[in-house]
Amino acid sequence: MEKQQFYYDNKIVKLFFWATVLWGVVGMLVGLLVAFLFLFPNYLTFAGAQPWLGFGRLRPLHTNAAIFAFVGNGFFLGMYYSMQRLLKTRMYSRFLGLVHFWGWQLIIVAAAITLPLGYSSSKEYAELQWPIDIAVTLIWVVMGINMIGTLLKRRQRHIYVAIWFYISTLVTIAMLYIVNNLELPIALSSWKSYSVYSGVKDAMVQWWYGHNAVAFFLTTPMLGLMYYFLPKAANRPIYSYRLSIIHFWTLIFIYIWAGPHHLLYSSLPEWIQNTGTVFSVMLIFPSWGGMINGLLTLRGAWDKVREDPILKFFVVAITAYGMATFEGPMLSFKNLNAIAHFTDWIVGHVHIGTLGWNGFLLSGMIYWLVKKLYKTELYSTKLANVHFWIGTIGILFYSMPLYIAGFAQAFMWKQFNPDGTLTYGNFLETVTQIIPMYAMRAFGGTLYFTGFILLAYNVVMTAKGKTVEDELAEAAPLEKISGTRATKEGLHAWLERKAVLFTVLALLATAVGGAVQIIPLLVKETQIPKIAAVKPYTPLELEGRDIYIREGCNNCHSQLVRPFRSEVERYAPKAGDGGYSKAGEYIYDFPFLWGSRRTGPDLHREGGKYNDNWHFNHMYDPRLTSEGSIMPMYPWMFDTKLDYSMIEAKMKTMKILGVPYTDEEIAGAKAKLEEQAKSIEQSLRQDPEYVKNYAEANMQDKEIVALIAYLQRLGNDVKTTQTAQK
């Protein structure tokens, strides 16, 4: 059959190439700035003059920039380049490619603006508010149409393993993102919305999403890139086709079940926790299957690794993937999880994956692609080698101190004196102990960032004065053949030529786990026993909770007292303190705020522990009440007037979601809010220093009073009344 000539679209690849480099620099820079906030908590806000540069607002900016801007653009870069060559066709639509590119960049810019301004849903890796969520969904659909269209017009009958992972990423991320981000805006004119799930249900859905955002945004697309770019760079075929089949299907099926291991010892039903543990342990087998397939691809080519920095990056990336995917299943064992969860050990674990696996894989790919796109040699191989060694040392200096810090935190939190009292009863003692580890982490981050700056310089100099042109190619069109399996044609080989069926099966493989775990929790009321004493938040407390979310307090404080003697003794030591956290306490929490890290103490039993003046002074400057604290100051709350113009809309939205507010309560919300605010202000006047400095400040109108109201509410329902289970 006569071959057809066509051009690969390299210009769309070039756009994603430079976006990946740019957002890599930006995401890592923000992460480095955040790392230094642990040493100098107020250096970016200038003692509160710039609230949009506080830790709680920048931390989600860093994670979103690293995940969706840097890794996201890196995935699209590799996908657009490799799909065309693997399928022997130009992308389905250049227009859709441009819509995808510019739409994604606008989403990133919108995130970079809104997150520092405090527009956050608080849900980890899903902090963006509803208008941006809609934009993400639409642009993802655009990308999907372009991908599927390209698959349907391909000139290569069988779909290569890299594309299997791209397809799984496409359908699973769509499912995860839509289900987790179902939210109800308080008004179409407002950015504010509330998750349709509350408490335990929200926690389950969020970590089904959160764990699998790591799985299907930071892992499966990167595996697809590994399966294409590693053999290309090594000039060797992939080690085992059969192993790649086992790796792919077992990975995508098992991964989706593992989310509950983030919620061990929580208020989540025990059967879901145990299911998550079982599948997490099983996950090590397909994960290491992929690692082995990657490393053994280099058999006979290890001499090249000594000379080629690109292969060096790939080898360390795959090794980091193996380390992270061994550690993850190990952390799902309850005895290890009891030590590691809420500590900096988890942060170190995550960054082995992001810095080592994602960062180094994309770095190697960028070095390889810049030569192909610009048809030249790398500006400086020596500089790339320097980047490799600086980056590798940076990873070690970043992660190792955090492992040490994690063990220090866990053992100090759990240590008792012979008389049964906590050895380190003051939480701050555990914080000051690990400050040197934070300094080493910041140093490691500086090294890693410096290495990436060298990459940016290297590729800019490589491309300088050169242009990217579309590449001429030729291939024969596919002949029509029977849709049934041919004689001696393997089942998977047959499936590889059925793109639509393959896509549907990939979606089903990932959907089943989430359905089994989530649906019973949503529809069976008995899964979450009710507690009669738990009441909805008052209007002022609801506003205070939204301020808590805006400032990202959940990034440092958990709201989950686990059923450990050490935690009950620390956070609820008295008989009437409520003990460990119960599922029924969270039924009005839209969204849940359990957190994933304790840089500060847990707050679920905070209400009534300190008086209003203590909270007032603590928020103004934590050093006034807790010497040596690394918590930032929040003085803008003392000057900013509380805007409660939308309180009725918020309560109406909550009522739709199931909170039992009456029409009378909603109608009288503003009066009730003002009454409670005035009561707190009168309480503050018991301190002569407050009267001296703020007597005429109308503090009852300020945001700080709403936050105090919320903090004083936490845990009070079960403290004041015996829990009554229905």
Side-chain angles (χ1 to χ4, degrees):
M1 183 177 289
E2 185 178 348
K3 292 185 177 181
Q4 299 173 338
Q5 289 191 336
F6 56 94
Y7 286 89
Y8 292 134
D9 186 354
N10 283 344
K11 292 178 181 176
I12 191 68
V13 175
K14 181 186 75 170
L15 291 175
F16 280 111
F17 179 91
W18 291 111
T20 303
V21 175
L22 171 65
W23 293 119
V25 171
V26 172
M28 293 175 201
L29 175 61
V30 177
L32 187 59
L33 294 174
V34 168
F36 277 101
L37 284 171
F38 286 86
L39 306 173
F40 313 104
N42 300 300
Y43 84 100
L44 286 178
T45 62
F46 301 101
Q50 304 293 340
W52 49 279
L53 291 175
F55 175 83
R57 302 194 191 188
L58 285 185
R59 193 264 182 177
L61 176 61
H62 162 59
T63 56
N64 279 267
I67 297 171
F68 299 110
F70 173 51
V71 178
N73 276 294
F75 163 47
F76 304 144
L77 161 66
M79 180 196 73
Y80 273 86
Y81 182 87
S82 62
M83 274 195 75
Q84 296 183 81
R85 286 151 180 84
L86 290 170
L87 299 176
K88 305 299 183 190
T89 184
R90 188 179 176 89
M91 291 302 296
Y92 172 68
S93 169
R94 176 163 176 79
F95 172 74
L96 290 179
L98 290 171
V99 171
H100 176 202
F101 174 78
W102 289 111
W104 197 259
Q105 310 319 309
L106 288 173
I107 287 167
I108 295 166
V109 171
I113 294 171
T114 56
L115 289 172
L117 291 176
Y119 296 105
S120 171
S121 72
S122 84
K123 300 176 77 168
E124 203 151 358
Y125 316 137
E127 291 91 350
L128 304 179
Q129 276 289 8
W130 68 273
I132 305 178
D133 286 337
I134 292 174
V136 170
T137 304
L138 293 175
I139 294 302
W140 198 258
V141 169
V142 167
M143 181 194 75
I145 294 171
N146 214 7
M147 279 183 64
I148 300 300
T150 305
L151 278 165
L152 294 178
K153 72 171 209 172
R154 69 190 186 277
R155 296 182 179 88
Q156 172 64 44
R157 192 171 307 281
H158 293 282
I159 303 170
Y160 179 64
V161 56
I163 299 176
W164 308 349
F165 284 97
Y166 301 162
I167 290 171
S168 179
T169 298
L170 168 69
V171 296
T172 310
I173 287 295
M175 173 183 68
L176 291 165
Y177 200 86
I178 291 171
V179 173
N180 185 58
N181 288 287
L182 290 176
E183 51 211 353
L184 196 60
I186 63 170
L188 293 179
S189 59
S190 172
W191 283 74
K192 182 65 183 176
S193 64
Y194 292 113
S195 170
V196 300
Y197 317 105
S198 69
V200 174
K201 298 176 184 179
D202 194 41
M204 176 63 231
V205 175
Q206 160 58 25
W207 281 112
W208 171 73
Y209 163 85
H211 178 79
N212 291 301
V214 173
F216 290 91
F217 206 91
L218 299 179
T219 303
T220 56
M222 298 298 106
L223 288 167
L225 300 182
M226 178 199 78
Y227 273 110
Y228 180 82
F229 288 99
L230 177 64
K232 286 289 185 182
N235 197 27
R236 303 284 299 176
I238 199 70
Y239 171 67
S240 172
Y241 166 71
R242 184 172 296 176
L243 183 56
S244 68
I245 295 174
I246 298 170
H247 173 211
F248 173 74
W249 288 107
T250 54
L251 186 83
I252 68 169
F253 175 76
I254 293 173
Y255 229 132
I256 206 79
W257 294 78
H261 78 222
H262 292 264
L263 301 171
L264 299 181
Y265 292 110
S266 73
S267 301
L268 194 69
E270 193 76 15
W271 71 269
I272 301 181
Q273 295 184 43
N274 293 337
T275 303
T277 295
V278 169
F279 279 90
S280 297
V281 174
M282 292 166 59
L283 190 56
I284 193 171
F285 298 106
S287 297
W288 273 42
M291 178 193 70
I292 292 168
N293 218 3
L295 291 178
L296 290 183
T297 297
L298 294 169
R299 71 201 188 286
W302 284 99
D303 57 315
K304 296 181 181 179
V305 177
R306 290 195 298 268
E307 306 295 332
D308 189 349
I310 294 171
L311 289 179
K312 286 189 180 79
F313 278 104
F314 285 157
V315 167
V316 171
I318 296 168
T319 303
Y321 170 66
M323 292 170 61
T325 53
F326 172 78
E327 190 179 13
M330 293 303 100
L331 288 171
S332 69
F333 285 108
K334 283 193 169 184
N335 53 352
L336 278 179
N337 186 276
I339 297 171
H341 194 54
F342 289 135
T343 75
D344 284 296
W345 178 352
I346 303 301
V347 182
H349 161 64
V350 168
H351 282 82
I352 288 289
T354 52
L355 300 180
W357 168 232
N358 298 130
F360 266 30
L361 185 79
L362 291 180
S363 294
M365 186 183 78
I366 288 168
Y367 282 126
W368 190 87
L369 273 175
V370 73
K371 297 191 294 182
K372 295 295 181 181
L373 289 175
Y374 289 92
K375 300 189 184 317
T376 186
E377 291 303 310
L378 193 62
Y379 171 72
S380 174
T381 300
K382 187 175 182 179
L383 206 58
N385 275 307
V386 172
H387 170 200
F388 169 78
W389 288 111
I390 289 178
T392 301
I393 296 169
I395 293 171
L396 295 175
F397 268 99
Y398 189 102
S399 57
M400 292 300 107
L402 291 182
Y403 285 112
I404 296 169
F407 277 103
Q409 288 169 303
F411 293 139
M412 291 178 76
W413 292 346
K414 294 176 179 294
Q415 192 167 340
F416 282 87
N417 294 315
D419 63 357
T421 59
L422 288 166
T423 303
Y424 302 99
N426 185 347
F427 189 92
L428 192 55
E429 293 177 281
T430 67
V431 177
T432 55
Q433 185 72 26
I434 60 177
I435 295 298
M437 313 306 171
Y438 288 154
M440 293 175 68
R441 185 262 295 271
F443 174 68
T446 302
L447 289 178
Y448 192 89
F449 176 69
T450 301
F452 201 82
I453 291 294
L454 294 179
L455 175 145
Y457 173 76
N458 209 349
V459 297
V460 166
M461 295 305 295
T462 302
K464 188 176 181 181
K466 303 174 184 69
T467 58
V468 171
E469 300 295 338
D470 289 350
E471 182 180 340
L472 179 64
E474 61 178 21
L478 291 181
E479 294 183 22
K480 288 191 176 182
I481 62 173
S482 171
T484 59
R485 286 174 61 185
T487 305
K488 295 185 179 180
E489 183 180 29
L491 176 61
H492 205 273
W494 171 78
L495 184 59
E496 286 169 35
R497 57 185 177 90
K498 297 288 186 178
V500 174
L501 177 61
F502 191 101
T503 302
V504 171
L505 291 177
L507 176 61
L508 291 176
T510 57
V512 62
V516 171
Q517 291 177 329
I518 293 173
I519 292 175
L521 197 61
L522 297 181
V523 301
K524 291 185 68 175
E525 291 295 324
T526 55
Q527 295 287 308
I528 304 173
K530 298 287 181 63
I531 298 176
V534 175
K535 305 298 181 187
Y537 294 107
T538 67
L540 186 64
E541 292 160 0
L542 188 59
E543 292 287 359
R545 193 172 197 270
D546 287 343
I547 293 171
Y548 182 96
I549 290 172
R550 183 193 72 191
E551 299 303 335
C553 301
N554 55 291
N555 288 298
C556 291
H557 295 280
S558 60
Q559 290 190 24
L560 178 68
V561 180
R562 295 177 293 175
F564 300 150
R565 176 191 168 204
S566 58
E567 294 200 7
V568 173
E569 181 65 26
R570 182 178 300 277
Y571 300 116
K574 299 177 183 177
D577 285 345
Y580 63 85
S581 301
K582 321 299 189 299
E585 295 183 66
Y586 300 105
I587 58 173
Y588 302 130
D589 283 6
F590 296 87
F592 85 116
L593 293 173
W594 291 359
S596 58
R597 180 183 185 184
R598 284 177 182 156
T599 306
D602 187 272
L603 300 180
H604 197 217
R605 300 286 181 243
E606 186 71 8
K609 188 174 290 187
Y610 305 101
N611 62 33
D612 293 342
N613 291 101
W614 187 94
H615 286 292
F616 185 90
N617 294 325
H618 185 68
M619 296 306 299
Y620 186 82
D621 183 355
R623 266 64 55 187
L624 295 175
T625 58
S626 309
E627 186 177 352
S629 173
I630 62 171
M631 177 176 160
M633 303 165 62
Y634 294 90
W636 56 86
M637 293 188 196
F638 297 74
D639 300 321
T640 305
K641 188 172 182 180
L642 177 65
D643 179 7
Y644 53 94
S645 59
M646 301 293 288
I647 186 59
E648 294 99 334
K650 290 181 178 182
M651 294 176 71
K652 287 177 182 177
T653 304
M654 287 290 189
K655 184 177 181 180
I656 293 172
L657 294 173
V659 180
Y661 290 124
T662 65
D663 292 339
E664 292 76 13
E665 286 174 327
I666 296 173
K670 289 181 179 177
K672 177 70 173 177
L673 182 150
E674 292 165 359
E675 178 185 351
Q676 188 177 3
K678 189 173 182 180
S679 173
I680 293 175
E681 200 277 337
Q682 290 297 318
S683 171
L684 292 171
R685 287 179 176 271
Q686 296 177 18
D687 182 359
E689 285 297 313
Y690 172 86
V691 175
K692 177 181 175 182
N693 296 309
Y694 301 101
E696 306 301 325
N698 293 318
M699 201 56 67
Q700 69 271 15
D701 297 333
K702 303 300 190 292
E703 289 183 341
I704 183 61
V705 170
L707 183 63
I708 291 172
Y710 173 64
L711 293 173
Q712 293 288 38
R713 173 63 184 276
L714 292 176
N716 264 343
D717 286 346
V718 295
K719 283 183 182 182
T720 56
T721 308
Q722 290 294 323
T723 57
Q725 305 256 339
K726 285 187 178 179

